[in-house]
Amino acid sequence: MDASRSDVLILGGGVVGLSCAWFLLQGGASVRVLEQGTPGCGSSHGNCGTITPSHAAPLAMPGMVGVALRSMLRADAPFYLNPRFDVPRLRWLLGFARHCNWRDFHRAAQARAAILQRSRHVLAALIRSEGLDCEFVEAGLLYVYRSAAAMAADERHHAELLDRLGIPVQRLRADEVQAMEPALRPGVQGGLFHPEDARLRPDRYVAELARLVRERGGVIESGAKVGRFETEGQRITGVTTSGGRFAGDRVVLALGAWSPLLGRQLGLRMPMQPGKGYSLTYSRPTLVPRHAMVLREAAVCVTTWESGFRLGSTMEFSGYAEGLNRKRLDALRRGAAEGLHAPEGPQLQEEWWGWRPMSMDEVPIIGPSARWSNLHLATAHGMLGVSMSAATGELIAAQCNGTPPPFDAAPYAPARFGL
């Protein structure tokens, strides 16, 4: 028996790849995960850990292209488009612009809502049934407003959309928000509360997933950076990595923001760009928010765990430029200081950046490739990789096993982009 061969070879050991591995193992497949670093070392590590059916609305909506173009003048803008000329990024932006209309907005919102709601249920069931130690709390997420105009705009576009999608949202007065969250500074104008949202510590969740995969018999190859693919006809026959050569009857590409770079070797022109996000992690301040929250005008997400406190978010399109942007970290600090009595903890534990895999229509790309007979894609989850991960793994496992999908898979099919 060839020890380097598995039923399914998964490229990528982040939260999506490990979720796929877990559900495939549950179905009886042998699984090997190839990870270029260590499990969860990419965007799965430093995000804010919110589980958000409330985030069904895509960024692509009428007026957003203007916001993006104006952002080029402000390197600390919450949504920042680097003005440096970059052909792939320009091509992606033109595709994104084509989707900034109400028809595509509502189509994307419905697709995102379906997978987010399914994943929220499946993830909670997995955490409970397996006793995962990841500081999972089902306490909702609060949007906080210091501008009545900003809240009115979100009530029209955000809250009314959630009403139509059947996702609960509660409109709160200023006094209700202040009573709910003593950690907020005075000056709040109101809030929107999303009771079905939750939070967890993402690095611990990924570590627990990796443990489950190994205990179930899956193999995780760390330090296995994919070098090239071996193909025969329309089939992938092997994958050569820095850790050796591996093969699988099926291959799942779950490489997040790196997916387009590897996809080129297979002739796949994936309509994706890395959206760079940042976070600051502290030890817990004395006064912390009781709920995960978003300070809306500053676009700062705040998450509290027993083990720490994190400020995060922002969206920067600078291609594959690496490293921290101090202006954007400072913007997180300023936004938190405007909204919270204790915006930073006593000890700064980590400054982090990571690439989010953004598709031009803001719907994940999940399912069998239209070009390669044994390839499945599980990528382009944008800012919602953790939130969508459990349902993605469930769907990939069903497709590989030939069983009925747990929800309509059509909106996520790679074939919509000729992939």
Side-chain angles (χ1 to χ4, degrees):
M1 181 178 177
D2 184 355
S4 67
R5 186 171 194 86
S6 308
D7 292 335
V8 185
L9 199 60
I10 298 175
L11 313 184
V15 69
V16 171
L18 292 171
S19 296
C20 292
W22 169 250
F23 284 99
L24 284 160
L25 287 163
Q26 291 289 86
S30 62
V31 173
R32 185 182 302 268
V33 179
L34 305 182
E35 167 53 47
Q36 64 178 343
T38 56
C41 65
S43 285
S44 299
H45 173 80
N47 65 79
C48 283
T50 51
I51 311 303
T52 50
S54 65
H55 283 34
L59 284 174
M61 61 187 295
M64 187 52 69
V65 173
V67 171
L69 295 176
R70 289 190 297 274
S71 79
M72 291 192 292
L73 305 174
R74 281 188 55 206
D76 63 349
F79 183 102
Y80 174 59
L81 180 65
N82 190 306
R84 180 177 56 83
F85 183 70
D86 178 325
V87 172
R89 187 153 46 93
L90 178 60
R91 187 182 299 122
W92 179 89
L93 183 62
L94 292 173
F96 177 83
R98 287 196 297 272
H99 290 283
C100 288
N101 60 77
W102 289 123
R103 186 190 66 177
D104 286 347
F105 172 86
H106 288 292
R107 182 181 299 154
Q110 288 177 339
R112 288 158 61 97
I115 190 170
L116 282 167
Q117 289 177 293
R118 176 68 187 180
S119 200
R120 168 70 175 86
H121 168 75
V122 174
L123 184 145
L126 172 61
I127 290 172
R128 283 193 290 265
S129 66
E130 300 298 327
L132 303 189
D133 180 13
C134 59
E135 301 190 54
F136 181 58
V137 177
E138 298 176 285
L141 179 139
L142 177 65
Y143 281 10
V144 179
Y145 299 87
R146 293 185 172 271
S147 159
M151 180 164 174
D154 267 12
E155 283 187 292
R156 287 194 305 273
H157 298 303
H158 173 77
E160 290 180 9
L161 172 69
L162 295 185
D163 289 340
R164 289 194 295 272
L165 293 171
I167 298 173
V169 55
Q170 299 170 8
R171 285 81 164 166
L172 302 178
R173 300 187 311 270
D175 61 319
E176 292 175 316
V177 176
Q178 292 282 185
M180 190 175 183
E181 281 295 353
L184 290 167
R185 292 171 63 89
V188 171
Q189 297 297 309
L192 296 174
F193 182 61
H194 308 93
E196 290 193 353
D197 287 6
R199 68 181 186 266
L200 50 71
R201 178 120 193 185
D203 50 347
R204 294 191 176 185
Y205 177 62
V206 174
E208 288 285 81
L209 270 184
R211 176 182 63 80
L212 283 186
V213 167
R214 291 187 176 109
E215 289 178 355
R216 187 74 181 189
V219 178
I220 301 174
E221 304 280 354
S222 295
K225 184 176 182 179
V226 176
R228 65 184 181 87
F229 294 94
E230 300 169 12
T231 62
E232 184 177 308
Q234 298 301 306
R235 187 174 181 82
I236 299 170
T237 56
V239 179
T240 301
T241 78
S242 54
R245 179 191 179 279
F246 303 96
D249 294 333
R250 295 181 183 273
V251 177
V252 177
L253 194 156
L255 287 166
W258 287 268
S259 299
L261 305 181
L262 269 295
R264 289 175 195 163
Q265 292 191 33
L266 297 170
L268 301 177
R269 188 167 161 178
M270 304 181 75
M272 294 169 57
Q273 273 287 296
K276 199 174 188 181
Y278 296 84
S279 70
L280 296 161
T281 305
Y282 299 90
S283 55
R284 277 174 63 111
T286 303
L287 181 61
V288 295
R290 298 167 178 170
H291 303 82
M293 65 171 60
V294 178
L295 306 174
R296 282 294 284 163
E297 290 83 358
V300 175
C301 182
V302 184
T303 312
T304 303
W305 307 294
E306 288 298 320
S307 62
F309 174 77
R310 182 168 289 169
L311 308 176
S313 195
T314 85
M315 178 64 74
E316 174 186 342
F317 288 99
S318 296
Y320 286 92
E322 298 186 4
L324 294 167
N325 182 329
R326 289 287 160 192
K327 290 182 179 180
R328 302 190 70 71
L329 290 176
D330 290 344
L332 287 177
R333 290 187 173 95
R334 282 197 307 275
E338 290 167 3
L340 299 173
H341 285 296
E344 300 180 42
Q347 181 184 359
L348 175 62
Q349 297 175 338
E350 184 177 21
E351 297 178 326
W352 177 89
W353 65 272
W355 288 322
R356 308 177 183 108
M358 306 293 292
S359 66
M360 65 171 57
D361 67 354
E362 287 199 88
V363 175
I365 302 171
I366 308 168
S369 170
R371 299 275 300 278
W372 297 95
S373 63
N374 65 333
L375 175 67
H376 289 253
L377 304 179
T379 188
H381 294 82
M383 297 178 284
L384 300 170
V386 178
S387 289
M388 294 180 174
S389 59
T392 298
E394 189 185 37
L395 179 56
I396 287 290
Q399 291 172 332
C400 288
N401 294 334
T403 57
F407 53 95
D408 183 10
Y412 321 100
R416 73 186 191 274
F417 295 123
L419 303 174

